[in-house]
Amino acid sequence: MKIKTNILNDSFGRHHNYLRISLIEKCNLRCAYCMPEEGVLLSPKKSLMTAEEVLSIAKVFVKHGVDKIRLTGGEPLLRKDFSTILEGLSQLNVALSITTNAVLVDRHIEDFKKYRLHHINVSLDTLIEEKFTTITKRNQFQKVKDNLQLLLGQGFKTKINVVLMKGFNDTEVIDFIKLTKDENLEVRFIEFMPFDGNKWSKDKLVSHQEILDQVNRYFGEEANQVLVNEQNFTARNYKIRGFKGRYGIISTVTNPFCDGCNRIRLTANGKLKNCLFSNNETDLLSYLRKGESIEPLIAKSIYAKKAIRAGMTDTEDFENPEKHNDNRSMITIGG
Ligand code: SAM
Ligand code: SF4
């Protein structure tokens, strides 16, 4: 549905049918690349969307063509009314998915089945317990591993998100890919991105090419098959010949995929972000609460979307804090 007047179309003709909703700013882990060491200033509870408001705003987007909603956070499964929100969203005509650290998956798995939440992205950056504790500052490795097995055993379409950081987990690329040998699993390596307070530096980045070099060295170039990109792809996908699952590389920094971007984000306090890297936010919640239409605000925000990463066209822009320091930390945006 690519109608010129659609409020979800931007000035480059991109239609935004994929809404990512952050349900919460809090988390039960403290991943160093996401949560600043000093913590984050949380929004006052009264300025966070209630379950009813999440649903009202989602309905407006669905009316204009959103057909895919991903729940994220913070840790979305920490929300006490998660089940109510999921039930409400399941009544809209959308494909539902979630990104979670998996610590609480066992408590919610029956809701996932009941409300048709079949696509689950689990964030797991290392297969070594001590490293997990170092990066997350919490001791939940076994729980995450058990819950991952639970999801795979019950046939959920599961992906593992791995944020790669040089000197920390770049030596685990091959071990992660080996997980795809016998499981219908997708492992996605994500380039480390800069956000407020996460001590990003270009030196910590593991590039797309470096990952491919490691894979080719270990498995052989012949065995590393390039898969066809999905529509509106973020990950460039590969498969090791004979393996059941596959792996992908999300190279937002060195090799962006903005041309086909169909994603928009709603933060837990009801602000629309037209790009993950945008410093600008459009407050939808206050207008909704005043009983005003939020459609003109959505149209204006999406139309103003820049062609590439909120205007950061070069990798060098990431090294200039002025270009992105006003952007919030990832935990309060919702990844
Ligand atoms: N708590 C949930 C989780 O960890 O899956 C959902 C929220 S988390 C912010 C969403 C995703 O963002 C995770 O896969 C996480 O790895 C990713 N992420 C957070 N900070 C990042 C960064 N600086 N660079 C790249 N990815 C990041
Ligand atoms: Fe929490 Fe997810 Fe951020 Fe880790 S990446 S601190 S699990 S929100």
Side-chain angles (χ1 to χ4, degrees):
M1 96 166 252
K2 234 182 180 179
I3 308 158
K4 206 171 168 212
T5 53
N6 189 295
I7 67 168
L8 301 181
N9 289 355
D10 71 9
S11 64
F12 302 95
R14 293 173 295 195
H15 180 65
H16 296 79
N17 63 319
Y18 180 7
L19 176 66
R20 302 170 70 105
I21 306 180
S22 172
L23 293 182
I24 190 165
E25 295 175 350
K26 289 185 183 159
C27 190
N28 42 4
L29 300 183
R30 293 283 178 278
C31 305
Y33 51 80
C34 175
M35 171 80 107
E37 230 164 45
E38 62 281 11
V40 286
L41 197 61
L42 296 172
S43 305
K45 193 159 188 280
K46 63 177 184 333
S47 62
L48 298 175
M49 295 184 290
T50 63
E52 213 174 81
E53 288 165 343
V54 170
L55 201 59
S56 301
I57 297 180
K59 276 183 185 161
V60 175
F61 282 97
V62 172
K63 177 177 146 199
H64 291 281
V66 160
D67 56 9
K68 196 172 167 192
I69 293 181
R70 174 171 298 275
L71 301 175
T72 178
E75 177 44 45
L77 297 180
L78 271 181
R79 217 111 165 190
K80 300 232 161 37
D81 53 2
F82 179 79
S83 178
T84 311
I85 294 172
L86 193 55
E87 181 180 7
L89 294 175
S90 73
Q91 283 157 21
L92 309 178
N93 194 17
V94 289
L96 289 173
S97 56
I98 190 168
T99 302
T100 170
N101 60 32
V103 172
L104 298 172
V105 154
D106 49 328
R107 287 200 210 159
H108 292 279
I109 200 152
E110 292 310 317
D111 280 339
F112 293 174
K113 289 186 216 161
K114 190 167 166 195
Y115 300 121
R116 300 186 314 281
L117 180 72
H118 299 310
H119 291 81
I120 323 275
N121 288 5
V122 171
S123 301
L124 176 64
D125 305 303
T126 173
L127 299 169
I128 300 166
E129 183 155 13
E130 301 77 61
K131 280 195 184 181
F132 180 93
T133 312
T134 304
I135 194 79
T136 66
K137 303 187 186 72
R138 294 290 183 274
N139 191 4
Q140 295 282 9
F141 182 69
Q142 199 51 47
K143 188 83 201 161
V144 172
K145 268 185 64 177
D146 291 348
N147 279 338
L148 187 58
Q149 275 315 317
L150 186 67
L151 290 169
L152 290 169
Q154 303 214 6
F156 284 90
K157 287 206 185 324
T158 310
K159 296 180 184 173
I160 299 182
N161 285 350
V162 185
V163 178
L164 279 183
M165 285 155 290
K166 206 164 268 176
F168 176 70
N169 58 356
D170 52 332
T171 48
E172 294 190 61
V173 167
I174 303 300
D175 291 336
F176 270 109
I177 294 179
K178 283 181 180 169
L179 297 180
T180 68
K181 184 166 188 277
D182 300 315
E183 294 284 4
N184 188 12
L185 171 71
E186 183 173 327
V187 172
R188 304 184 325 156
F189 299 109
I190 306 178
E191 284 183 351
F192 177 35
M193 296 181 277
F195 294 98
D196 186 32
N198 78 351
K199 300 197 179 115
W200 184 86
S201 96
K202 205 177 165 193
D203 302 337
K204 293 187 195 158
L205 192 81
V206 185
S207 72
H208 192 122
Q209 193 53 48
E210 286 172 276
I211 298 169
L212 286 184
D213 289 345
Q214 273 202 47
V215 176
N216 290 338
R217 264 199 310 275
Y218 188 87
F219 293 102
E221 224 167 302
E222 288 287 283
N224 190 23
Q225 302 176 312
V226 183
L227 302 178
V228 177
N229 287 330
E230 285 160 12
Q231 207 191 358
N232 310 115
F233 69 99
T234 51
R236 292 177 171 85
N237 293 317
Y238 304 84
K239 183 185 180 74
I240 303 301
R241 181 171 295 128
F243 281 22
K244 229 171 156 182
R246 58 192 197 160
Y247 74 95
I249 303 175
I250 303 185
S251 45
T252 320
V253 180
T254 64
N255 199 359
F257 33 79
C258 305
D259 284 358
C261 183
N262 63 341
R263 284 167 296 277
I264 39 179
R265 293 177 152 79
L266 183 63
T267 63
N269 62 348
K271 310 250 166 98
L272 179 64
K273 275 178 93 80
N274 63 16
C275 171
L276 179 57
F277 294 105
S278 172
N279 292 338
N280 298 323
E281 301 182 349
T282 300
D283 183 2
L284 301 183
L285 185 59
S286 304
Y287 282 79
L288 183 88
R289 285 183 177 171
K290 283 192 260 175
E292 292 178 23
S293 167
I294 59 171
E295 285 158 319
L297 297 169
I298 297 173
K300 195 168 168 213
S301 165
I302 294 185
Y303 204 75
K305 178 162 169 158
K306 298 268 180 18
I308 296 179
R309 290 182 308 217
M312 290 193 287
T313 45
D314 291 319
T315 309
E316 280 64 44
D317 288 337
F318 285 111
E319 292 179 281
N320 177 359
E322 278 177 23
K323 300 251 180 177
H324 56 77
N325 254 14
D326 289 341
N327 197 6
R328 312 187 197 195
S329 53
M330 184 67 133
I331 190 152
T332 62
I333 299 173

